[in-house]
Amino acid sequence: MRGLPRSIALWAASAVVAALIAVPSGPAFADTLLSQGKTATASSTENAGTGPANAVDGNLSTRWSSAKTDSEWLQVDLGASADISRVVLNWEAAYGRGYKVQASQNGTTWTDLKTITDGRGGTETWDVTGSGRYVRMLGVTRATGYGYSLWEFQVFGAGSGTGAQCGTTNAALNKPSSASSVENAGTPAKNAFDGNNGTRWSSAASDPQWIQVDLGSVQTICKIGLWWEAAYGTAFKLQASDNGSTWSDLKSVTGATGGTQSYDVNGSGRYVRMYGTARATGYGYSLWEFAVYTTSDGPILPGGGDLGPNVHVFDPSMSSAGIQSQLDAVFQQQESAQFGTGRHAFLFKPGSYNVNANIGFYTSIAGLGQSPDDVTINGGVTVDAGWFGGNATQNFWRSTENLSVQPTGGTNRWAVSQAAPFRRMHIKGALNLAPSGYGWASGGYIADSKIDGAVGPYSQQQWYTRDSSVGGWVNGVWNMVFSGVVGAPATAFADQSYTTLNNTPISREKPYLYMSGNEYRVFVPSKRTDARGASWANGATPGSSIPLSQFYIAKPGDTAATINAALSQGLHLLLTPGVYTINQPINVTRANTVVLGLGLATLIPSGGVSAVKVADVDGVKLAGFLIDAGTQKSNVLLEVGPQGSNAGHAANPTTVQDVFVRIGGAFAGNATTSVVINSNDVIIDHTWLWRGDHGEGIGWNVNTAETGLVVNGNDVLITGLFVEHFRKYDVEWYGERGRTIFFQNEKAYDPPNQAAYMNGTTKGWAAYKVGNAVNTHEGWGLGSYVYFNVDPTIEVENAFETPVKPGVKFHSLLTVSLGGNGRINHVINGTGGPAFGTATIPSKLVSYP
């Protein structure tokens, strides 16, 4: 309390009791509480303990209170538009004499539902008619010298189907858990949340004992299920907490008889626990499973369904001519559509096909077998550069995976640059990475593949290959990096361009769509340590399989609210090919969630919001999509873990694979930072973060973007990092024990002059900065280039900037001035260099320090 006189405080307490026992009048028809646990905001708060969320938490001992002025408001976001039938205000002593109840579809334009001029405080119930996503109390006149204060603000809907419904997916499945004790090492808390009725948690033989689960975010809880082993509890409480410290009772149970029990509850929290107070036996408490179910905004969304018109599925019974015709028609549309809106995926069912698939922009081709050898293309999966005069440096945004190719003439051509992953492929011959005529190319990435013949990079400036096998490697230009590759050349960086690690320290292959019989499923490969060679080289790839019925299949036109509702139900997410404009972040809050894009599905955030936010939970997999910055500047486009994340995820890391970010090019996009990694143990496996240097909406003060990647988490590993053209540091790394295997960078092309490109008194900004407080960091095969095409006299003092400490180590560093357009004075920390002159000769350091 604020120090109210005792008489007023007692009146307030009695009002609360009255609110609990009174039955407010309402409409004759049934309606549903829509506001509880939803996002609430306010014009002000009196102090940190009286925030707006307190008014929608279902707890009559917490409250929102405002500043001491008349024009104050409290609003709640219902998550989707709803028909509104009733509003209930449970006032604390500081109530509103005059106020309005209003609704809005957009949070900006408001419609009056009710105007009150003689409010009396206590519990006020108003029948209203209207609709909106946002509902608010707009204060006009206060009744006291204090502000406005509400124990609860409740919004009810008129049974339109948009209210909250109890989900059928166990929100606690595989979530982080803990307990007051365990009987032995074989009965840990996690066993009660693993979905396996053959494993259990059991406690010490004493009272009280508890077991709890972290749902990852505050959610509205509607049901709890308990599957007791023989050692059950006769008395216990089911409780929830937002912070894991302060608990509210959802249900008090006495006289329980064990077995399978289900309890309907009403409350919210991030943490849910069973708090046992009396055992039925001389043993402890023992649960086979502990399930938590949460509400979902709107009707329960279905999983599964068709993949939409931009996914082209072929089977061997189709004619080669018919398949070739579809491939050629899409290629004709996509060959030069660098910034177009077309998105396509070609999927081949197991079998053999006689076709040549030319792959253009925003086109993916993949096999639907469990193994790459389940699908064979007799012909080719081809990328060339005829559309751009034989120059492959702009062959971006396309992919191939999970196929075997018997190439015509013995050699398959894949002449690409950035953002063109080549995964899980078996080339039964040689592979040529250069365009016809051997024009320029600036790629690229291979993983989990087998190339029987030699790989010929020829004109490729750089390339990274991971966990594969090759029949030889023909040459190298500037920076060829290998980790876990059978047949890779030995390290020879001083006089050639090779950096080779015998193994990849940690890897997990990208999830992929496949068919099991007539059913679509998504396979999630297991984590590997010290990996070498393809994951399928000696049999099936280890991992787990998820039926497509557990995925929400999103299609262009779906809103972020719909997608988030599906995720909150416990569904995974499959983004079918297309462009998605979203006005709120896609929030991934559940451990082990898979978000998989097909055909370079593209997210465009509007209104300056982030595109994707991931909670600090285990095992999230983000893969195969593009984020295109919107025209209103976002602070961060992709955030993995909120600021301050500190949980450990070494056993089950989050992975970010083939997730690309673009700022400008299609239009004048803007973002301060492309990607921020706050969680620990994250693996980024192939990304290209690009501030556009060509296309539409390009210019130093047009597509403004300061930083590509910021890493705050510890033990983050990046395999295949491409970051280009940001206005300040391209990469900033502040977490401990970070590792990067392969880095390709070009500094911004377009600073107008040296004065505009100064970091304090230092010329230019380093491409890759390790924070001064970092003690341990390591990198292999890192290159940075300059091409200042507005003012070629601009200089960069150092391409790499790091603390000088025994634990900070780099191997195979290089810098390049492209055609003498700009100069890099030193490779790292005043050591190495310079890179300048029209000969375009790299400046190298074999190791640092």
Side-chain angles (χ1 to χ4, degrees):
M1 297 295 286
R2 292 178 298 256
L4 291 172
R6 183 166 178 80
S7 60
I8 297 178
L10 290 172
W11 177 91
S14 65
V16 174
V17 173
L20 287 171
I21 62 176
V23 179
S25 61
F29 50 80
D31 53 6
T32 304
L33 177 60
L34 304 177
S35 54
Q36 190 161 303
K38 299 297 173 57
T39 301
T41 54
S43 54
S44 66
T45 57
E46 182 185 8
N47 56 61
T50 60
N54 290 347
V56 293
D57 62 359
N59 184 349
L60 291 174
S61 64
T62 63
R63 65 186 175 91
W64 163 73
S65 59
S66 75
K68 300 175 184 178
T69 59
D70 283 326
S71 298
E72 301 289 346
W73 52 261
L74 169 79
Q75 77 180 46
V76 60
D77 177 0
L78 303 180
S81 182
D83 295 329
I84 301 160
S85 58
R86 181 162 52 108
V87 177
V88 178
L89 299 95
N90 286 331
W91 292 103
E92 193 246 6
Y95 64 96
R97 177 74 67 191
Y99 58 94
K100 294 181 178 182
V101 176
Q102 300 179 313
S104 172
Q105 298 292 351
N106 56 17
T108 303
T109 305
W110 295 89
T111 300
D112 293 347
L113 302 179
K114 189 78 174 180
T115 299
I116 294 90
T117 58
D118 60 347
R120 303 298 176 87
T123 300
E124 296 184 307
T125 301
W126 307 111
D127 294 340
V128 297
T129 301
S131 65
R133 172 175 171 170
Y134 304 88
V135 182
R136 74 176 179 182
M137 184 287 299
L138 176 65
V140 178
T141 307
R142 292 167 293 145
T144 73
Y146 297 102
Y148 300 87
S149 184
L150 283 163
W151 297 108
E152 283 294 297
F153 181 53
Q154 296 177 311
V155 179
F156 293 82
S160 65
T162 58
Q165 302 182 35
C166 200
T168 58
T169 300
N170 179 8
L173 185 63
N174 293 317
K175 293 293 176 63
S177 58
S178 58
S180 53
S181 66
V182 294
E183 181 182 7
N184 56 60
T187 60
K190 68 178 182 179
N191 286 357
F193 304 100
D194 62 0
N196 183 351
N197 285 336
T199 64
R200 65 186 175 94
W201 162 74
S202 59
S203 76
S206 62
D207 293 315
Q209 299 289 337
W210 54 262
I211 181 173
Q212 73 182 48
V213 63
D214 178 0
L215 302 180
S217 63
V218 174
Q219 299 186 42
T220 303
I221 303 155
C222 53
K223 185 183 291 186
I224 293 175
L226 301 173
W227 286 260
W228 290 102
E229 194 246 5
Y232 63 94
T234 59
F236 52 88
K237 294 181 178 182
L238 300 176
Q239 299 178 312
S241 171
D242 288 350
N243 55 19
S245 300
T246 304
W247 295 88
S248 299
D249 292 346
L250 301 175
K251 190 83 172 180
S252 293
V253 179
T254 58
T257 56
T260 300
Q261 299 171 342
S262 178
Y263 300 96
D264 293 330
V265 297
N266 187 9
S268 64
R270 171 173 174 170
Y271 303 88
V272 182
R273 76 176 179 180
M274 185 287 298
Y275 186 83
T277 54
R279 292 164 291 139
T281 73
Y283 298 101
Y285 298 82
S286 183
L287 283 165
W288 296 110
E289 284 295 302
F290 182 172
V292 179
Y293 300 92
T294 60
T295 59
S296 171
D297 292 334
I300 300 299
L301 295 167
D306 75 275
L307 299 176
N310 295 328
V311 176
H312 314 267
V313 181
F314 303 129
D315 69 68
S317 68
M318 301 172 67
S319 72
S320 295
I323 296 172
Q324 190 67 58
S325 176
Q326 291 190 52
L327 292 168
D328 291 347
V330 170
F331 180 66
Q332 186 176 6
Q333 298 169 18
Q334 299 301 118
E335 180 183 14
S336 59
Q338 184 173 178
F339 298 109
T341 57
R343 303 288 187 272
H344 296 271
F346 294 113
L347 305 180
F348 289 78
K349 294 181 181 181
S352 182
Y353 301 83
N354 299 316
V355 295
N356 184 62
N358 287 294
I359 306 301
F361 285 100
Y362 313 110
T363 303
S364 298
I365 181 171
L368 287 172
Q370 183 79 61
S371 165
D373 287 331
D374 291 342
V375 177
T376 299
I377 303 294
N378 298 301
V381 176
T382 303
V383 178
D384 208 341
W387 74 277
F388 200 48
N391 180 344
T393 58
Q394 293 184 22
N395 279 354
F396 312 137
W397 302 307
R398 63 199 77 197
S399 68
T400 184
E401 61 185 292
N402 205 31
L403 295 164
S404 66
V405 179
Q406 184 70 59
T408 302
T411 300
N412 192 80
R413 186 183 303 277
W414 186 256
V416 298
S417 289
Q418 290 83 0
F422 187 97
R423 287 185 182 271
R424 209 174 161 77
M425 295 289 292
H426 184 189
I427 303 299
K428 299 177 178 179
L431 181 63
N432 187 335
L433 302 178
S436 301
Y438 300 95
W440 295 338
S442 182
Y445 177 89
I446 293 172
D448 201 29
S449 294
K450 180 181 180 183
I451 296 93
D452 293 344
V455 178
Y458 301 111
S459 56
Q460 283 286 355
Q461 295 165 350
Q462 65 275 314
W463 200 276
Y464 174 55
T465 307
R466 178 182 63 72
D467 298 355
S468 298
S469 66
V470 298
W473 195 271
V474 172
N475 73 299
V477 179
W478 293 334
N479 194 28
M480 303 283 139
V481 180
F482 310 84
S483 68
V485 178
V486 178
T491 295
F493 188 72
D495 56 346
Q496 297 185 56
S497 60
Y498 303 134
T499 304
T500 300
L501 287 74
N502 193 54
N503 304 88
T504 304
I506 306 170
S507 61
R508 182 169 61 202
E509 300 306 330
K510 176 186 171 186
Y512 61 90
L513 192 67
Y514 76 105
M515 295 200 75
S516 176
N518 293 319
E519 179 189 25
Y520 286 110
R521 301 180 72 90
V522 172
F523 193 80
V524 181
S526 299
K527 187 187 77 168
R528 303 171 75 193
T529 56
D530 294 324
R532 182 169 173 81
S535 66
W536 48 275
N538 299 311
T541 298
S544 58
S545 180
I546 307 172
L548 204 61
S549 60
Q550 293 183 21
F551 281 77
Y552 178 71
I553 301 178
K555 297 181 176 67
D558 277 346
T559 64
T562 298
I563 291 171
N564 283 333
L567 289 169
S568 70
Q569 285 177 207
L571 293 171
H572 303 276
L573 176 62
L574 185 76
L575 296 164
T576 63
V579 178
Y580 301 73
T581 299
I582 53 176
N583 62 1
Q584 59 180 275
I586 293 175
N587 291 310
V588 182
T589 61
R590 181 173 55 91
N592 301 307
T593 299
V594 176
V595 178
L596 178 62
L598 300 179
L600 276 296
T602 302
L603 305 175
I604 304 177
S606 64
V609 302
S610 297
V612 180
K613 289 189 173 184
V614 180
D616 190 26
V617 295
D618 276 356
V620 172
K621 293 94 180 170
L622 307 180
F625 58 90
L626 169 66
I627 298 172
D628 212 350
T631 55
Q632 186 171 337
K633 194 162 193 170
S634 298
N635 184 38
V636 178
L637 292 171
L638 168 60
E639 181 183 71
V640 179
Q643 186 176 2
S645 295
N646 57 19
H649 309 289
N652 186 12
T654 285
T655 48
V656 181
Q657 300 175 287
D658 302 343
V659 175
F660 311 120
V661 174
R662 179 171 68 193
I663 302 172
F667 49 84
N670 286 274
T672 302
T673 305
S674 293
V675 176
V676 174
I677 306 296
N678 290 316
S679 287
N680 299 325
D681 305 296
V682 173
I683 300 171
I684 297 178
D685 178 42
H686 189 221
T687 189
W688 184 37
L689 314 179
W690 185 64
R691 174 180 168 260
D693 62 85
H694 61 274
E696 298 296 325
I698 298 301
W700 184 248
N701 293 312
V702 180
N703 59 325
T704 56
E706 280 63 39
T707 308
L709 171 68
V710 175
V711 179
N712 296 314
N714 296 327
D715 301 292
V716 172
L717 170 67
I718 305 184
T719 51
L721 177 60
F722 299 74
V723 187
E724 296 190 303
H725 309 311
F726 290 87
R727 289 167 31 118
K728 294 183 178 179
Y729 294 119
D730 295 274
V731 174
E732 298 180 48
W733 205 303
Y734 301 106
E736 284 288 358
R737 298 176 297 281
R739 292 176 288 184
T740 297
I741 304 173
F742 181 87
F743 173 64
Q744 186 268 328
N745 166 262
E746 287 180 355
K747 295 301 300 171
Y749 285 0
D750 54 347
N753 49 55
Q754 187 73 68
Y757 200 57
M758 296 291 292
N759 181 6
T761 59
T762 301
K763 292 180 178 179
W765 298 79
Y768 190 108
K769 173 185 172 60
V770 179
N772 292 334
V774 173
N775 295 306
T776 305
H777 189 92
E778 196 161 7
W780 296 263
L782 282 65
S784 178
Y785 318 148
V786 293
Y787 180 73
F788 295 122
N789 61 5
V790 175
D791 182 357
T793 68
I794 293 175
E795 300 177 11
V796 174
E797 192 62 25
N798 291 287
F800 301 90
E801 181 182 311
T802 76
V804 181
K805 297 180 181 179
V808 179
K809 303 173 183 178
F810 287 89
H811 317 273
S812 303
L813 296 170
L814 75 151
T815 59
V816 178
S817 174
L818 298 171
N821 292 278
R823 175 185 172 112
I824 302 177
N825 291 328
H826 301 285
V827 177
I828 182 170
N829 291 354
T831 303
F836 68 103
T838 58
T840 313
I841 298 173
S843 176
K844 295 182 176 182
L845 277 179
V846 172
S847 63
Y848 179 85

